[in-house]
Amino acid sequence: MAKEQNTPAKKEPGRIRQMVQIYRTTKVQDRNLPYIMLLCFIAPILVAVLLAFLLNNSIFGWIMWPLTGILVGLLIAMIVLGRRAEAVAYRQIEGKPGAVGAVVQGALRRSWRGSEVPIAITRNQDAIYRVIGRGGVVLIAEGSAQRTKRLLIDEERKVKRVLPNVKITQLYVGTDEGGIPVSKLNRSLAKIKPTLRRNEVQAVFNRLSSLQGSPVGIPKGIDPNRVRAQRPR
C-alpha cells in the first residue's frame, strides 16, 4: 500500500488580504472608489482635529481626538468598500440565469434557508427557488414572468399539500412588470412579516427537504435525452 502523503492545507487569506482583494476587484468596475474611500477616511480625522482644537487644551485631548478620528475614518471607509463591492457584484449578475441562486447561497444564509439549486426550471432557464425563514415559505421566480407563472402555481400547490398552515409568499425577480431587481431581493424578504418561530423554521425546512428528491425533477446522473421506454415483453 502506498504511503499517504500529507499535503499541507491551504491557508485562507487573512482579513487584510481579503479586503485588499475586494478593493482591487471593485476598483476595476468602480472608478470613483479610491476617491470616495479617501474622503470617508479624511473627513472624520478633520472633524476630530477641529474638536480637539475647540474642546481641549491638554496633550491627552490632542492625542485621543485625532486617534478616534483615524479609527472612525477606517471604519467608515471599510463600510463604504463593502457596500460598493456588493453593488458591483449585483450589477455583474443582474439578469443572468442563476443570479437568485447566488444571492440565496451567500447573502441570505443568515436569515433565510435555501439552496442555490432551483426546485424547478424550464428549457429557457427560467427557474423557481425556495427559501424558508421566519416569514414562512417564499417562492422566488427568475426569468420570464409569463413562463414562471405556472411553475409558481404548481410549487405553491405542492407546499400547501404538506404544509397547509404555513404562509407562502411569491416573489418575481426580473425585468418584466412587477419584477424586482436582484439587488433588492434582500430588502423584499426583510419586509415579509414573521409568522414562524426559529424552531418552526427548521422543522419546515426539514419537511420540504425530505420531500424534494431532485431539485429540478431530474434524477442525478441520468440524461433525460437518452432515457428510453422499456420494450414490452
Side-chain angles (χ1 to χ4, degrees), residues 20-143:
V20 172
Q21 291 176 352
I22 293 174
Y23 171 78
R24 291 175 177 175
T25 304
T26 307
K27 186 177 67 172
V28 176
Q29 303 293 331
D30 190 350
R31 298 294 183 181
N32 296 324
L33 178 64
Y35 309 106
I36 295 175
M37 289 187 62
L38 182 62
L39 178 62
C40 292
F41 175 69
I42 293 178
I45 298 177
L46 296 178
V47 173
V49 171
L50 179 61
L51 291 175
F53 177 76
L54 296 175
L55 302 178
N56 293 279
N57 293 322
S58 63
I59 298 178
F60 178 78
W62 277 105
I63 295 175
M64 291 304 299
W65 278 109
L67 181 60
T68 302
I70 292 174
L71 295 177
V72 172
L74 284 173
L75 178 61
I76 296 177
M78 292 300 100
I79 293 175
V80 170
L81 174 61
R83 295 290 178 84
R84 296 185 77 88
E86 185 180 35
V88 168
Y90 280 132
R91 287 199 301 267
Q92 290 178 339
I93 66 175
E94 185 74 44
K96 296 182 180 180
V100 172
V103 176
V104 170
Q105 178 68 11
L108 303 185
R109 186 178 298 177
R110 296 179 181 178
S111 54
W112 293 85
R113 301 202 58 181
S115 174
E116 76 278 11
V117 180
I119 58 174
I121 193 169
T122 68
R123 295 179 179 178
N124 302 95
Q125 294 185 326
D126 306 308
I128 304 296
Y129 297 85
R130 183 179 62 212
V131 295
I132 299 97
R134 296 197 63 192
V137 178
V138 181
L139 300 174
I140 308 172
E142 176 188 68

